[in-house]
Amino acid sequence: MRLNKPLVLESIIVSLLLTVGIICWQVIQGMILTYQYQPDIAASYASVEKLQSTVTFGTVVRADLTFMLMIGAGLILFTCLYYSVRSRMKQRKARL
């Protein structure tokens, strides 16, 4: 099977644009939430006291190597899927 170089380039560009779009959307959501946040100083101490007495364990989320590899594998998988769908569409169009 021969690779169609323009289609490979298109697949990579679409994958990167999708990734950048998702990141930009998350940044915009964070900006909106930060703009709309109004802390209630009087009630904040009560919630901290409740949390300290009821929560004993928590989770730590970090971007370790496994997480980064999974993201990279997902991006490569999406690129391959996009390429295969577009190449099949091109083959069907050529048959007609």
Side-chain angles (χ1 to χ4, degrees), residues 28-61:
I28 290 170
Q29 283 182 328
M31 290 170 62
I32 291 171
L33 289 173
T34 302
Y35 179 74
Q36 293 177 347
Y37 177 70
Q38 294 177 354
D40 185 15
I41 296 173
S44 64
Y45 181 74
S47 65
V48 170
E49 187 174 314
K50 177 185 172 196
L51 285 175
Q52 286 178 344
S53 63
T54 59
V55 177
T56 56
F57 296 100
T59 60
V60 176
V61 178

Side-chain angles (χ1 to χ4, degrees), residues 56-85:
T56 56
F57 296 100
T59 60
V60 176
V61 178
R62 18 181 177 131
D64 56 352
L65 182 61
T66 306
F67 183 69
M68 293 300 216
L69 288 175
M70 287 174 54
I71 290 174
L75 185 62
I76 291 170
L77 178 66
F78 177 78
T79 304
C80 293
L81 287 173
Y82 182 85
Y83 175 81
S84 65
V85 168

